[in-house]
Amino acid sequence: MSDFPAFPPGFEFGAATSAYQIEGATGKDGRGPSIWDTFCLRGGAIRDGSSGDTACDHYRRHREDVALLADLGVSTYRFSVAWPRIQPSGAGPVNPRGLDFYARLVDDLLAAGVTPVLTLYHWDLPQPLEDAGGWRSRDTSERFAQYAALVAARLGDREPRWITLNEPWCSAFLGYGNGEHAPGVSEGTPALAAAHHLLVGHGLAMGALRAAGVREAGIALNLDHVSPATPRADDLAAAVRAETQRNVMWTEPLLEGRYAAAESDTWGELIECQDFRRDGDLALVSAPMDFLGINYYTPSTVRAAPWREPDPARRTAMDNRFEAVPHPGVRHTAMGWPVVPGALRQLLTSLRDRYGARLPPLHITENGSAEHDAPAADGTVHDAERIAYLESHLRAVAEARAEGVDLRGYTVWSLLDNFEWAYGYSRRFGLVHVDFPTGTRTPKASYHWYKAAIAASQAP
Ligand code: IFM
């Protein structure tokens, strides 16, 4: 660890999870159904036919997981609240047993010296709200702010950092664009309406959090570092469209209070009908944030392509006349994602260059790798690839900081192996191995490495 980059005192090292991926207990203590409970029942939706019904059994075993975090030495733990535990139908009064669980978790974390970072929405929309239109409907944005107010009324005094939405790109485009995620539909303009209503929901929730006295609030975006495959004009234009869909359609309204300039080129006829946008929305969406969370895993290189569906009436919001090209010569994780840590540094410096003083302090709210790791005969898990991934990305973070990026924390995805959405349990991201049939937790070599790295980088 002697050559590990030094981070200043106060730089936060953390680990993250989300509710549906780890909690299990989907029928317990009055929790209502979410879109993921429904989606998992659909034949073929989840590769291994599984669901989050049991997951890591964290709902029962959370004290064990808090002890793992304390031993790891992280200063922050990012988790999410399951909206269907708080409001089983997505509206109406609080379900006290659901909220009690998170109050206990927050208390246990604080007692263990770990700062909780609470995400309000990590994709588990109450199913009754989806039945009423889901994020296509503006009503869901308003319901989201009411839910935020309920959680903040109970936890606002002791929960220091709040994240409204996790990766709204996934909610809008995987949920409503290509159907890989719940609710599993492939739509055009309605998916763009969902994207807008997620942003409006974020803005309304920011207002609810401020009204409850929350001091530190922001959003977590999965931003991409996009490169054109060649310097040809058509590939350059394709890269702008990819950047618009992945990054700029989120960062521009949030940070500049305006819509992305390349919207029309990216979505063509789909964006012509804008009746889901109202006067005043941009002011709401661009309410100042205390930080911007960035989830980064891998970059994209793209080239120009024709519309996959020439008929705009049948086109989905994921059809934007670009296609990804492979990254030869670099290692790929078990997700098939190329490992390019330098792209993280470039993403961070390019955000700083683009937004200047409008960019709030940054936190890496997710970074990590899925690997094919399995316990050896002696029970240990030697995940050398994950260690190399984390180390190289932490170096990229240190380099970006050295170049002047105001980046204050780094969070590993994930504390535990868990339910990896459409991949079920077939992809493991954890620092801690979970034997799903028994729930047994075994810290991997990467856990011990991260523990030592935190200690080393913060040594006087
Ligand atoms: O597991 C997910 C997480 O829920 C959101 N960000 C990406 C992770 C890995 O795919």
Side-chain angles (χ1 to χ4, degrees):
M1 287 294 160
S2 55
D3 63 342
F4 195 77
F7 288 89
F11 185 85
E12 295 176 352
F13 291 94
T17 62
S18 86
Y20 189 75
Q21 293 180 272
I22 65 164
E23 285 179 359
T26 46
K28 197 137 169 38
D29 291 342
R31 178 188 178 278
S34 80
I35 54 174
W36 275 92
D37 299 284
T38 308
F39 187 60
C40 289
L41 294 174
R42 188 192 289 180
I46 311 297
R47 286 193 183 195
D48 59 6
S50 66
S51 75
D53 280 356
T54 305
C56 306
D57 200 16
H58 168 82
Y59 195 78
R60 271 191 335 110
R61 304 175 75 136
H62 80 269
R63 292 221 158 83
E64 197 180 332
D65 296 334
V66 171
L68 283 165
L69 289 161
D71 174 66
L72 184 55
V74 286
S75 44
T76 62
Y77 171 54
R78 177 176 173 231
F79 67 98
S80 78
V81 172
W83 186 351
R85 289 199 194 279
I86 309 305
Q87 291 178 297
S89 68
V94 122
N95 166 35
R97 288 179 297 167
L99 199 42
D100 284 350
F101 169 71
Y102 298 105
R104 284 195 298 275
L105 177 62
V106 167
D107 286 346
D108 290 347
L109 288 164
L110 292 172
V114 178
T115 301
V117 178
L118 185 156
T119 304
L120 283 163
Y121 186 71
H122 198 124
W123 308 352
D124 41 2
L125 187 71
Q127 182 62 42
L129 293 186
E130 178 56 30
D131 297 340
W135 289 107
R136 305 173 195 85
S137 159
R138 194 181 184 93
D139 187 54
T140 297
S141 318
E142 280 154 22
R143 301 272 182 205
F144 179 59
Q146 290 159 13
Y147 152 68
L150 292 174
V151 182
R154 175 79 180 274
L155 298 178
D157 60 340
R158 55 197 194 284
E159 166 57 53
R161 187 174 302 146
W162 295 66
I163 294 174
T164 54
L165 304 174
N166 180 68
E167 302 182 1
W169 179 88
C170 294
S171 299
F173 291 117
L174 302 184
Y176 298 90
N178 69 9
E180 279 179 20
H181 280 188
V185 294
S186 298
E187 297 175 342
T189 300
L192 294 175
H196 183 67
H197 293 142
L198 282 151
L199 285 169
V200 171
H202 157 81
L204 291 169
M206 287 292 287
L209 295 178
R210 298 294 188 214
V214 164
R215 284 191 310 277
E216 220 188 326
I219 194 168
L221 301 177
N222 54 321
L223 298 180
D224 200 353
H225 182 265
V226 181
S227 308
T230 75
R232 280 176 23 193
D234 59 345
D235 288 341
L236 290 172
V240 171
R241 291 193 290 275
E243 263 230 291
T244 300
Q245 190 234 61
R246 291 302 307 265
N247 302 345
V248 182
M249 70 167 295
W250 310 101
T251 54
E252 212 70 353
L254 287 163
L255 301 176
E256 299 283 14
R258 63 181 178 225
Y259 297 116
E263 278 189 336
S264 299
D265 191 42
T266 306
W267 285 287
E269 291 85 342
L270 297 189
I271 196 77
E272 280 171 10
C273 167
Q274 300 201 356
D275 56 5
F276 50 81
R277 290 176 172 170
R278 293 192 191 160
D279 290 349
D281 280 356
L282 284 170
L284 196 65
V285 172
S286 61
M289 297 187 288
D290 304 298
F291 64 90
L292 173 64
I294 296 176
N295 297 355
Y296 170 85
Y297 292 86
T298 193
S300 305
T301 303
V302 300
R303 69 179 166 219
W307 295 114
R308 286 194 295 275
E309 169 53 66
D311 177 1
R314 293 152 50 105
R315 191 179 294 153
T316 82
M318 288 284 265
D319 191 350
N320 311 117
R321 293 181 297 144
F322 68 82
E323 63 192 10
V325 301
H327 279 255
V330 300
R331 193 178 80 78
H332 288 57
T333 70
M335 297 295 283
W337 295 346
V339 179
V340 189
L344 173 57
R345 180 184 55 73
Q346 287 172 294
L347 171 64
L348 294 169
T349 53
S350 66
L351 276 171
R352 189 265 322 270
D353 294 346
R354 181 169 188 140
Y355 292 109
R358 298 277 297 162
L359 190 67
L362 304 178
H363 283 265
I364 300 297
T365 35
E366 286 183 26
N367 178 243
S369 70
E371 305 296 347
H372 297 290
D373 31 42
D378 63 356
T380 55
V381 182
H382 299 284
D383 54 342
E385 293 92 351
R386 181 172 294 103
I387 293 173
Y389 181 99
L390 297 177
E391 175 165 21
S392 59
H393 286 77
L394 266 164
R395 283 189 192 288
V397 164
E399 285 162 17
R401 283 177 47 84
E403 289 182 46
V405 176
D406 183 4
L407 195 150
R408 301 189 181 179
Y410 172 87
T411 315
V412 173
W413 183 271
S414 175
L415 175 67
L416 304 171
D417 290 340
N418 59 47
F419 176 75
E420 178 52 26
W421 307 111
Y423 290 88
Y425 297 96
S426 68
R427 298 291 184 279
R428 293 177 178 271
F429 275 91
L431 296 170
V432 175
H433 180 271
V434 177
D435 177 54
F436 293 108
T438 62
T440 301
R441 278 96 164 117
T442 306
K444 302 178 190 175
S446 58
Y447 173 101
H448 300 293
W449 173 85
Y450 192 41
K451 179 176 174 174
I454 295 170
S457 72
Q458 304 218 305

